[in-house]
Amino acid sequence: MHTIGLYTENFSRVVLDEIFPLVYVPAMPTPSPSAQTPYQRFQKNLVEVMDILKLSETERTKLLEPQFIHKKEIEITRDNGSKQSFPAFRVQYNDARGPYKGGIRFHPLADEDEVKALAALMAVKTAVVNIPMGGAKGGVQCNPKELSKKELEAVSRAYVRAFAEHLGSGVDVPAPDVNTTPQIMAWMRDEFETVRKTYDPAMITGKPMAYGGSLGRDTATARGAFFILDEYVRSAGLKPKKLRVAVQGFGNAGATMAAFLHQAGYVVVAVSDSRGGIFKEKGIDPARITETKEKTGSVAGGTDGGRAITNEELLELPCDILIPAALDSVIHEGNADRIKATVILEIANGPVTPEADAILERKGVTVIPDVLANAGGVTVSYFEWSQGRSGEQWTAETVDERLRRIMLESFAAVRKEATERTISHRMAAFVVGVGRIVEAMRIRGWF
């Protein structure tokens, strides 16, 4: 195993009122073979796995929908004195194995269906890495770029006041997500402790180090993904220096992953962000690309001796390993047949559609799925939760060693299912995760 620099305390790159009666809304969409929404895509995979596990109708019914969907309109006072309300919600998918766990996103297009899908995937993800937590997700339909710091704090505190009775270290533990930061997590913890008149540092994760955070949280997603990819490469008898890697997405996870790979001897031939990318056959130094992005606002601001490419072109480059680390559904039935990589490591959530999965499987492409590959983030969030409950502060070395052990044990369990059942790694990960959820539900007497 290659040695990479240990975690830092820098959280700066983490990806990212009034109380009214909460509304509990049961959602009952019917799974469809041609489903296109994020939640229906999740259900398509879930139904296939339930068939493999031979679950009863009662078990299927309890798994197909979230346990709770909490909705709320939150209101703040803008800097100009006007009132503005925003739709807010918290989807709690399953807590059979432990408290609900999942991020809160602030985005104008955040909707219930997307959040449902992410909550469900989080429940599977925590089960795949075998940490004692369930799955949830939250969101506020707002554009944080249009809010002042004072207004952003008001939205953050209003969200917690709206859902306070459904949160807590033993109930539901949020975390950062799209457009939310450690500072927002700090405001939320402070508001929760004020409203509930309690001390509960483990009620939320992704906090600043000065307010109950954990070492390693900023690089955890990339670190966990690196452990899995490097183990896959080692077990296949391959040499990193002979493997070409393309990374789509140069945000926190993608840029950190590219740096880890470069340090370990892999040849990073292409990177991109939302404005485009570069390809250099002999290899790119991610540190130089980071400098370019900081100066120009984009990796495409300088070619570093390579040529400019689009995000779409990056996906179809001749390479050995493709790492989508940005948006969902970027590999679909329209381009899957042109993918040349033999291994796809999903750091983004849902970058490969079910239709593309089928095409890639026929081509013999190995897809290491998001519910395993990007689970390093939630794993270190679990570490932060554990430290908050115990009052301990782990060293960077402790976080690193425990994350590595959990990720490799999880990969071994998934690979075992894939081999024994002759199924894809995605289906194998779902078999492991859903199987553990069902086992907990049975033991608890829910069926």
Side-chain angles (χ1 to χ4, degrees):
M1 179 64 60
H2 300 283
T3 300
I4 303 299
L6 292 174
Y7 304 114
T8 71
E9 296 185 14
N10 175 23
F11 277 70
S12 63
R13 294 170 63 195
V14 176
V15 222
L16 331 159
D17 307 64
E18 304 300 319
I19 298 180
F20 300 93
L22 288 167
V23 179
Y24 298 83
V25 182
M28 298 297 291
T30 302
S32 165
S34 59
Q36 295 299 315
T37 71
Y39 194 70
Q40 288 171 327
R41 286 199 295 268
F42 165 78
Q43 287 182 315
K44 184 177 185 296
N45 285 328
L46 180 61
V47 168
E48 186 173 343
V49 169
M50 291 192 297
D51 289 341
I52 293 173
L53 293 173
K54 297 180 172 56
L55 299 189
S56 69
E57 286 304 313
T58 300
E59 292 167 335
R60 290 167 183 259
T61 299
K62 284 189 175 290
L63 282 172
L64 279 170
E65 294 299 329
Q67 291 172 324
F68 299 105
I69 299 177
H70 306 298
K71 290 185 176 181
K72 179 72 174 160
E73 286 284 325
I74 60 174
E75 185 178 79
I76 67 166
T77 301
R78 299 295 300 264
D79 291 344
N80 62 10
S82 66
K83 301 286 187 179
Q84 185 171 0
S85 62
F86 304 94
F89 34 85
R90 185 70 177 172
V91 176
Q92 296 171 324
Y93 182 78
N94 189 283
D95 66 346
R97 303 184 66 258
Y100 300 107
K101 185 81 185 80
I104 301 171
R105 56 181 49 192
F106 289 178
H107 196 281
L109 299 180
D111 60 49
E112 183 179 311
D113 186 86
E114 177 187 48
V115 172
K116 280 174 60 179
L118 293 169
L121 287 169
M122 184 60 78
V124 175
K125 188 180 301 184
T126 56
V128 168
V129 291
N130 207 20
I131 59 177
M133 308 196 89
K137 208 76 171 184
V140 178
Q141 286 184 8
C142 69
N143 186 350
K145 294 180 181 179
E146 297 176 352
L147 300 175
S148 69
K149 182 178 179 181
K150 180 181 176 182
E151 292 167 339
L152 187 61
E153 179 177 353
V155 169
S156 304
R157 292 181 180 276
Y159 183 91
V160 171
R161 287 198 296 276
F163 301 113
E165 66 178 297
H166 303 291
L167 303 176
S169 58
V171 182
D172 186 344
V173 184
D177 199 76
V178 176
N179 292 330
T180 53
T181 65
Q183 176 60 72
I184 289 173
M185 299 301 103
W187 288 328
M188 289 183 169
R189 175 189 163 186
D190 180 71
E191 189 66 24
F192 179 84
E193 292 181 334
T194 300
V195 170
R196 297 291 292 270
K197 296 180 174 60
T198 188
Y199 174 74
D200 194 359
M203 66 77 51
I204 201 164
T205 61
K207 304 180 295 295
M209 282 296 299
Y211 195 38
S214 173
L215 289 168
R217 182 63 182 85
D218 56 339
T219 58
T221 300
R223 185 72 164 159
F226 175 80
F227 283 144
I228 287 177
L229 179 62
D230 208 48
E231 175 66 12
Y232 176 88
V233 167
R234 184 200 63 77
S235 64
L238 302 174
K239 302 294 184 183
K241 65 181 180 180
K242 294 184 178 181
L243 298 176
R244 299 162 298 167
V245 186
V247 181
Q248 187 198 52
F250 208 72
N252 179 41
T256 305
M257 183 65 170
F260 285 168
L261 291 167
H262 179 73
Q263 292 172 37
Y266 292 79
V267 184
V268 180
V269 297
V271 296
S272 69
D273 59 21
S274 60
R275 294 168 57 183
I278 62 170
F279 169 70
K280 187 176 179 182
E281 190 171 359
K282 292 184 178 180
I284 293 166
D285 182 351
R288 292 172 63 90
I289 301 304
T290 297
E291 292 176 0
T292 296
K293 185 166 184 175
E294 289 174 350
K295 291 178 182 177
T296 68
S298 172
V299 303
T303 60
D304 192 33
R307 66 178 175 87
I309 57 172
T310 66
N311 272 288
E312 293 73 22
E313 288 175 318
L314 181 143
L315 297 171
E316 300 173 19
L317 287 173
C319 62
D320 302 291
I321 301 165
L322 174 61
I323 303 179
L327 304 175
D328 67 341
S329 303
V330 294
I331 301 175
H332 45 77
E333 59 184 339
N335 64 3
D337 206 40
R338 297 193 296 274
I339 300 296
K340 298 178 180 64
T342 56
V343 176
I344 296 175
L345 182 77
E346 294 185 329
I347 289 184
N349 285 315
V352 180
T353 68
E355 295 78 15
D357 256 335
I359 296 170
L360 294 170
E361 190 170 0
R362 288 197 298 271
K363 286 169 52 112
V365 177
T366 297
V367 178
I368 302 177
D370 49 5
V371 292
L372 172 63
N374 68 22
V378 71
T379 301
V380 176
S381 282
Y382 158 63
F383 293 166
E384 183 178 332
W385 176 79
S386 298
Q387 292 168 78
R389 287 171 70 89
S390 68
E392 296 178 345
Q393 181 66 63
W394 298 357
T395 65
E397 290 80 6
T398 297
V399 171
D400 191 67
E401 185 278 326
R402 294 186 182 186
L403 175 61
R404 181 178 182 274
R405 175 182 57 79
I406 285 176
M407 297 306 294
L408 296 188
E409 287 177 355
S410 303
F411 180 50
V414 169
R415 185 165 50 181
K416 181 174 181 289
E417 289 288 348
T419 301
E420 293 181 353
R421 295 180 183 270
T422 317
I423 55 178
S424 70
H425 282 71
R426 187 184 312 284
M427 285 299 104
F430 267 71
V431 166
V432 170
V434 173
R436 287 172 176 167
I437 293 171
V438 172
E439 181 182 14
M441 294 172 77
R442 286 172 178 162
I443 290 171
R444 295 180 66 157
W446 290 7
F447 300 130

